[in-house]
């Protein structure tokens, strides 16, 4: 029988990058983090360094495998950090980040807004690239066997065509 320490040593983790959507609303910003099958007790939302919210989650998949993520998001300087709230609705974690000053009209953009948008866009693109690379790795693993089967089928069809139609060409 394994002890708790031995069980802990045998754990493996499936790390993933959750999809995030940042929206700016009147008086606050909102971050939606897509965390399928997670419960609130599996996650933590903290401010570990000034201007950065860290969201982590970890849940069991089976006896030795766990799914986990860690997401760090820069927040504006005009944030009321002591009023940040998080709640889980279905598979989406909603993090509400209140601002000290009201939102600026859409026509006038501040550098803070564009920095946040650029940061979110780069996080989103990084997640897309990461998932595309993992799909490409899986497709590469499938490509060789598929190419081998395809080559055998083409060779067989060519041989069968030659045997069946060679006599037809002579007149």
């Amino acid at each position: 029988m394994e002890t708790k320490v031995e069980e802990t040593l045998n754990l493996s983790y499936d790390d993933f990058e959750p999809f995030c959507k940042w929206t700016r609303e009147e008086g606050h910003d909102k971050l939606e983090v897509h965390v399928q099958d997670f419960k609130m007790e599996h996650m933590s939302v903290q401010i570990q360094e000034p201007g950065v919210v860290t969201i982590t989650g970890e849940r069991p998949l089976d006896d030795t495998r766990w799914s986990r993520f860690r997401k760090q998001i820069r927040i504006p300087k005009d944030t009321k950090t002591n009023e940040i709230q998080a709640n889980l609705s279905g598979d989406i974690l909603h993090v509400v980040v209140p601002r000290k000053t009201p939102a600026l009209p859409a026509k006038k953009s501040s550098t803070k807004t564009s920095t946040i948008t650029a940061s979110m866009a780069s996080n989103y693109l990084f997640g897309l690239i990461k998932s595309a690379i993992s799909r490409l790795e899986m497709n590469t693993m499938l490509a060789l066997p598929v190419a081998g089967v395809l080559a055998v089928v083409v060779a067989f069809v060519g041989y069968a065509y030659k045997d069946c139609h060679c006599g037809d060409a002579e007149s």
Side-chain angles (χ1 to χ4, degrees), residues 22-23 25-33 45 47 53 55 75 79-87 93-99:
W22 183 269
T23 55
E25 299 176 9
E26 178 128 3
H28 67 275
D29 296 330
K30 187 189 264 186
L31 177 65
E32 293 179 359
V33 184
V45 179
I47 299 176
V53 172
I55 305 166
I75 56 175
T79 298
K80 297 178 183 177
T81 55
N82 57 339
E83 295 181 21
I84 293 175
Q85 297 179 352
N87 63 42
L93 177 68
H94 298 272
V95 181
V96 178
V97 182
R99 291 190 307 270

Side-chain angles (χ1 to χ4, degrees), residues 21-79:
K21 179 182 174 187
W22 183 269
T23 55
R24 195 158 178 87
E25 299 176 9
E26 178 128 3
H28 67 275
D29 296 330
K30 187 189 264 186
L31 177 65
E32 293 179 359
V33 184
H34 294 251
V35 288
Q36 187 173 0
D37 298 330
F38 276 78
K39 295 179 182 171
M40 201 61 194
E41 58 265 18
H42 296 144
M43 294 179 285
S44 169
V45 179
Q46 300 176 338
I47 299 176
Q48 294 180 335
E49 58 184 81
V52 178
V53 172
T54 301
I55 305 166
T56 57
E58 188 174 294
R59 71 174 182 87
L61 296 173
D62 58 37
D63 290 339
T64 59
R65 285 186 37 230
W66 286 67
S67 177
R68 69 180 176 185
F69 70 92
R70 178 182 171 90
K71 189 78 176 168
Q72 291 188 307
I73 306 293
R74 290 209 172 278
I75 56 175
K77 290 179 183 177
D78 66 345
T79 298

Side-chain angles (χ1 to χ4, degrees), residues 78-147:
D78 66 345
T79 298
K80 297 178 183 177
T81 55
N82 57 339
E83 295 181 21
I84 293 175
Q85 297 179 352
N87 63 42
L88 185 64
S89 175
D91 288 338
I92 300 175
L93 177 68
H94 298 272
V95 181
V96 178
V97 182
R99 291 190 307 270
K100 293 177 184 173
T101 57
L104 297 174
K107 293 179 182 177
K108 298 178 183 179
S109 65
S110 69
T111 54
K112 291 179 186 175
T113 304
S114 61
T115 303
I116 294 168
T117 304
S119 173
M120 291 305 297
S122 66
N123 286 340
Y124 175 71
L125 289 175
F126 180 73
L128 285 178
I129 291 169
K130 190 174 179 181
S131 66
I133 288 172
S134 67
R135 283 194 303 267
L136 182 61
E137 288 171 352
M138 287 176 26
N139 290 340
T140 304
M141 292 185 332
L142 289 173
L144 191 57
V146 169

